[in-house]
Amino acid sequence: MSTTRGRLRLVVIQVLVFSLFATLFTRLYYLQVVTGEEYIARAASQSVREIVVQPQRGLIVDDVGRPLVANRTSWVVSVDRTMLGKMSTRQRKALVARLAEVVGQSPQRIRRKLVTCGDEGSVVGTCWNGSPYQPVPVARDVAQPVALRILEQPEDFPAILAEQQSVRAYPRPFGVNLAHVLGYLSPITEAEYDQARADGDRSVNGASSVGRAGVEKQYDRWLRGMPGYRRVAVDSMGRVLGDDGEVMGQPGDTLVTSIDAKVQGEVERQLAATIKQARATRDTVTGRNYVADSGAVVVLEAKTGRVVAMASQPTYDPSVWVGGITKKQLARLYSEKAGTPLLARATQGQFAPGSTWKPFMTSGALRNGYRRDARLNCSSAVRVGNRDFKNYESGAYGFIGFAKALEVSCNTFFYRIGYDYWRRYGSDVADVKARDPLVEEAKAFGFGKPTGIDIPGESSGRIADRTWKRAYYESQKDYYCKIGKEPGQDFLHRFAREFCIEGYAYRAGDAVNFAIGQGDTIVTPLQLARAYGALANGGTLYEPQVAKAIVAPDGEVIRRFAPRKAGRVPAPRETIAFIDEALKGVSRQGTMSWRLIGFPLDEVVVRSKTGSAEVYGKQSTSWVASYSDDYVVVMMVSQGGTGSGTSGPSVRAIWETLYGIEGETVSPARAAIPGTTPPKRLPTFMKDGSILPPARKD
């Protein structure tokens, strides 16, 4: 009986299993055979695509929250090249023509934009420099009706995307330009994208724009934010059928800078006006107007090294990079005829410092055997070898001390010091290791190497010492020896023959030129400003800095950037104090005094040094370097004439702006404890240090 029941249960189980398999096979047959073509068609006609939603890039603001770089919304039309590649040649041609008509471009231009830079047929300034796997923007700042037409007629614009994106905007408070400090953006390259992925960096994608210069590059990882992602259903032609979810992105952080937009605006206006005036002024030496081909101004906080303002000329409109720069625009930025606007003269321009060099030579002399009461002959000229080295306009003041030599900017006084050290330590012209106290002092004040400012691409300047001259000779010897063998008695051929034989020799003429900031030694305006800052603050060299803080979108202060000390100069405090007093004399009765008539020097004590650097084959470079207890102001105009003559009025105007000087009095808002504390400003952060205050209205 039990055996019969067991067999019955087994039969029932077998029937059930067979029924299940029969049902399964029947369903599979129905799906694959009966309705297979329908499902294949559905799969081919619809899929889900992930679209990157670019984050809003962080703001860049000045020291009281005024926006220097902001964002605005722009309609952007892009082409999905993956979907475009699935179309026939005829379909692609028709689509591009239809799109070109809508966005107001030629079909040829759109096709050029779809070519990856570096590929065959690519055109610099037009080709796509981003990832080949992301939609390519072909039109920015598209009118809203145009964008809506593309969105509402997807059947006419397959593989075409229209979306709102955040792009850079430049509010220009007080008319500031600041292009060389701010920098610019451009699309991420394929190599950069691959490297970021390899490093696990998810803040970039194939359509990201990244910083290429200035603080946009230096602080890119904070400014760029984190992208979001939107999932959309599309058909086989790339037409969007509907949303399928979204992952929100995170906006970039705000960069708070030390820039004072009000001062920056005045600095830029003064620099432009000075260059314009110089070009209208006749050079008494050549009889021609000054070329005034470029210029720069640097304003630093003396006690911190922070950059208050920094301007270079020629400059450019930073918005030229927004939406992709054209080949013509790019060519102008690199054009020598246009003055190479992309070159930041304040940090990358290198010029002979002229007489602004003399305070550091004074420090070197006082640390190496000379007494503060030493007196040397400020004759109209001094003979070194077979050449007379002259004073400016052959002026002569008799036997004077260091203070008077700085006041009247006596060249022959410093020629004698340079020649004395050369005769004592380095008369062997081939001795590369010979000691030179003046070279040592220049290096101690930070010249000959980058300052460390938080702006990429800074130049190092050059100390033209024995080591440099030997290296230069070895690198150029073959070139000049070849020229020297050619017939000819002009300057080039005579120089080439002499250089070929003994171009390595560090002669007395090199030493005396070095002592007054002439010859082959060159500095950047920023290097000079930093060195004067060390005189102002008692001997500390700072790494100049633009950034003050990083603030998250919710107002939390993520990071504060403290002043960075690079070291101390070796000059004793009494030596710095002596030089400081002498430079006060330059402002009161020396070469800068005529430009400061009526300026309240008793309330705002400005020390200064003027310079007119001679450059072979060019007009002289105008310099004014000045400082108070609070700030450093340095101005340079290449081929601009004399120091105080050309740059003096604008330097005065900048000081008046810094301290709020109106006429011959100091504005009460800026006059609190003059000479000991910086002018009053609104705090950058609220008292709890958590959020930025609203921008001040001036």
Side-chain angles (χ1 to χ4, degrees):
M1 184 68 178
S2 59
T3 302
T4 302
R5 282 198 299 268
R7 289 177 179 175
L8 181 59
R9 282 197 296 269
L10 182 59
V11 170
V12 171
I13 292 172
Q14 289 175 339
V15 171
L16 288 174
V17 170
F18 178 79
S19 300
L20 289 173
F21 274 104
T23 303
L24 177 61
F25 287 134
T26 302
R27 183 59 178 168
L28 289 175
Y29 177 81
Y30 177 80
L31 292 175
Q32 294 185 19
V33 179
V34 178
T35 61
E37 293 184 1
E38 178 184 349
Y39 282 102
I40 291 173
R42 289 185 184 181
S45 65
Q46 180 175 328
S47 62
V48 175
R49 182 191 301 166
E50 201 171 63
I51 296 177
V52 177
V53 180
Q54 299 297 343
Q56 188 175 67
R57 194 169 173 88
L59 304 180
I60 302 175
V61 302
D62 81 347
D63 69 331
V64 294
R66 305 182 189 100
L68 302 171
V69 185
N71 299 294
R72 61 181 175 81
T73 301
S74 168
W75 279 101
V76 178
V77 174
S78 304
V79 177
D80 187 333
R81 293 187 298 180
T82 302
M83 300 305 302
L84 197 67
K86 296 179 180 180
M87 301 179 184
S88 67
T89 302
R90 186 178 61 82
Q91 288 175 321
R92 286 197 300 270
K93 186 175 181 180
L95 177 61
V96 169
R98 193 179 309 123
L99 178 62
E101 181 181 358
V102 169
V103 300
Q105 298 182 26
S106 68
Q108 183 182 7
R109 179 169 178 79
I110 290 181
R111 283 193 291 268
R112 286 202 303 264
K113 289 183 177 182
L114 296 176
V115 178
T116 300
C117 293
D119 288 354
E120 184 179 355
S122 62
V123 178
V124 176
T126 305
C127 59
W128 171 238
N129 194 38
S131 169
Y133 310 113
Q134 290 291 328
V136 179
V138 295
R140 298 177 187 271
D141 285 329
V142 173
Q144 186 177 18
V146 173
L148 293 178
R149 177 181 173 184
I150 293 173
L151 290 173
E152 293 170 355
Q153 300 175 7
E155 67 280 359
D156 292 334
F157 298 99
I160 307 300
L161 304 174
E163 56 185 347
Q164 286 186 309
Q165 293 183 4
S166 176
V167 297
R168 278 321 216 185
Y170 299 89
R172 298 174 66 91
F174 299 101
V176 302
N177 171 266
L178 206 62
H180 297 105
V181 173
L182 298 174
Y184 58 91
L185 309 176
S186 71
I188 190 171
T189 65
E190 183 179 359
E192 290 171 331
Y193 174 73
D194 291 341
Q195 184 61 53
R197 287 300 181 185
D199 295 340
D201 184 358
R202 301 299 174 185
S203 66
V204 296
N205 54 77
S208 291
S209 290
V210 295
R212 294 297 180 198
V215 293
E216 288 275 27
K217 179 177 181 180
Q218 184 73 18
Y219 299 101
D220 183 63
R221 70 187 182 94
W222 279 288
L223 291 167
R224 70 171 67 131
M226 187 66 68
Y229 298 91
R230 182 162 58 94
R231 294 167 61 86
V232 296
V234 297
D235 63 17
S236 59
M237 296 300 292
R239 294 182 287 253
V240 177
L241 303 177
D243 290 339
D244 196 49
E246 183 174 0
V247 176
M248 299 298 295
Q250 179 181 332
D253 302 317
T254 293
L255 172 65
V256 182
T257 71
S258 56
I259 299 295
D260 184 325
K262 187 174 184 179
V263 177
Q264 178 70 30
E266 182 65 17
V267 162
E268 291 178 4
R269 285 189 292 274
Q270 290 297 330
L271 179 58
T274 298
I275 289 176
K276 182 179 180 180
Q277 179 62 38
R279 290 174 178 172
T281 303
R282 189 172 298 278
D283 181 354
T284 57
V285 176
T286 65
R288 298 180 290 108
N289 285 10
Y290 287 111
V291 176
D293 53 13
S294 63
V297 178
V298 178
V299 181
L300 301 179
E301 289 182 355
K303 295 183 177 70
T304 65
R306 296 191 188 280
V307 179
V308 177
M310 190 155 63
S312 297
Q313 282 285 351
T315 187
Y316 63 93
D317 182 356
S319 65
V320 73
W321 297 94
V322 177
I325 191 168
T326 66
K327 184 178 181 180
K328 182 178 180 181
Q329 291 169 329
L330 188 63
R332 182 187 177 277
L333 294 182
Y334 287 101
S335 167
E336 291 186 9
K337 184 178 180 180
T340 322
L342 204 58
L343 180 69
R345 265 62 180 192
T347 59
Q348 297 174 314
Q350 302 179 102
F351 310 88
S355 293
T356 60
W357 194 244
K358 291 172 181 174
F360 314 112
M361 300 299 95
T362 298
S363 177
L366 294 179
R367 288 204 314 114
N368 289 275
Y370 282 84
R371 295 165 54 90
R372 290 196 291 275
D373 59 358
R375 298 177 71 81
L376 299 175
N377 188 7
C378 179
S379 55
S380 62
V382 60
R383 178 162 283 267
V384 178
N386 60 358
R387 176 185 168 190
D388 287 333
F389 288 79
K390 299 181 179 181
N391 253 344
Y392 177 71
E393 295 185 342
S394 299
Y397 294 87
F399 281 84
I400 60 176
F402 280 97
K404 187 66 174 179
L406 290 172
E407 280 185 22
V408 300
S409 201
C410 179
N411 287 343
T412 54
F413 183 98
F414 289 94
Y415 284 148
R416 296 179 192 280
I417 294 173
Y419 180 65
D420 177 39
Y421 285 134
W422 180 86
R423 183 175 51 81
R424 279 199 268 167
Y425 301 117
S427 57
D428 180 355
V429 298
D431 184 3
V432 176
K433 297 183 179 180
R435 186 178 176 226
D436 191 330
L438 300 185
V439 167
E440 293 170 2
E441 198 70 10
K443 292 180 177 179
F445 271 87
F447 296 105
K449 60 183 179 182
T451 66
I453 189 172
D454 53 346
I455 296 178
E458 178 188 13
S459 297
S460 63
R462 180 174 67 218
I463 298 293
D465 58 5
R466 294 167 181 264
T467 301
W468 174 83
K469 191 163 188 182
R470 170 69 72 169
Y472 182 76
Y473 171 74
E474 294 296 339
S475 66
Q476 300 294 320
K477 178 176 59 176
D478 293 342
Y479 171 75
Y480 282 109
C481 287
K482 182 179 179 182
I483 294 177
K485 292 177 182 178
E486 300 172 354
Q489 294 301 319
D490 58 9
F491 173 80
L492 175 60
H493 286 83
R494 285 185 282 112
F495 172 81
R497 292 183 191 111
E498 180 181 339
F499 185 91
C500 181
I501 297 171
E502 52 185 7
Y504 60 86
Y506 193 84
R507 299 193 176 280
D510 296 311
V512 299
N513 266 329
F514 184 86
I516 66 161
Q518 295 284 176
D520 293 308
T521 292
I522 50 179
V523 304
T524 68
L526 180 63
Q527 286 176 321
L528 197 66
R530 191 212 5 195
Y532 272 86
L535 295 177
N537 64 40
T540 300
L541 278 175
Y542 284 96
E543 293 183 2
Q545 199 165 206
V546 175
K548 287 186 75 172
I550 301 292
V551 181
D554 63 1
E556 179 186 358
V557 180
I558 299 173
R559 179 175 176 180
R560 296 179 188 270
F561 296 92
R564 300 189 304 241
K565 294 181 180 180
R568 285 193 61 82
V569 299
R573 288 190 177 274
E574 54 268 24
T575 297
I576 293 177
F578 175 81
I579 295 171
D580 187 79
E581 284 298 317
L583 297 182
K584 289 178 185 177
V586 176
S587 297
R588 293 181 181 276
Q589 61 267 356
T591 55
M592 185 62 180
S593 61
W594 68 297
R595 290 303 194 187
L596 293 174
I597 295 173
F599 188 92
L601 289 171
D602 291 335
E603 297 175 81
V604 180
V605 184
V606 175
R607 298 81 158 173
S608 57
K609 186 70 194 78
T610 61
S612 303
E614 297 178 2
V615 182
Y616 177 76
K618 295 183 178 182
Q619 297 164 312
S620 58
T621 301
S622 169
W623 286 98
V624 171
S626 58
Y627 65 90
S628 68
D629 289 349
D630 310 315
Y631 299 106
V632 179
V633 177
V634 169
M635 185 172 191
M636 180 280 304
V637 178
S638 171
Q639 301 198 75
T642 63
S644 59
T646 298
S647 300
S650 287
V651 169
R652 173 179 176 149
I654 293 169
W655 280 113
E656 289 172 345
T657 299
L658 283 166
Y659 284 95
I661 297 172
E662 301 168 359
E664 297 184 7
T665 62
V666 182
S667 168
R670 296 261 181 177
I673 324 178
T676 57
T677 59
K680 297 293 183 181
R681 295 181 183 175
L682 293 178
T684 302
F685 304 103
M686 302 297 282
K687 290 183 178 180
D688 63 0
S690 60
I691 58 174
L692 288 168
R696 182 176 62 186
K697 293 182 179 179
D698 289 274

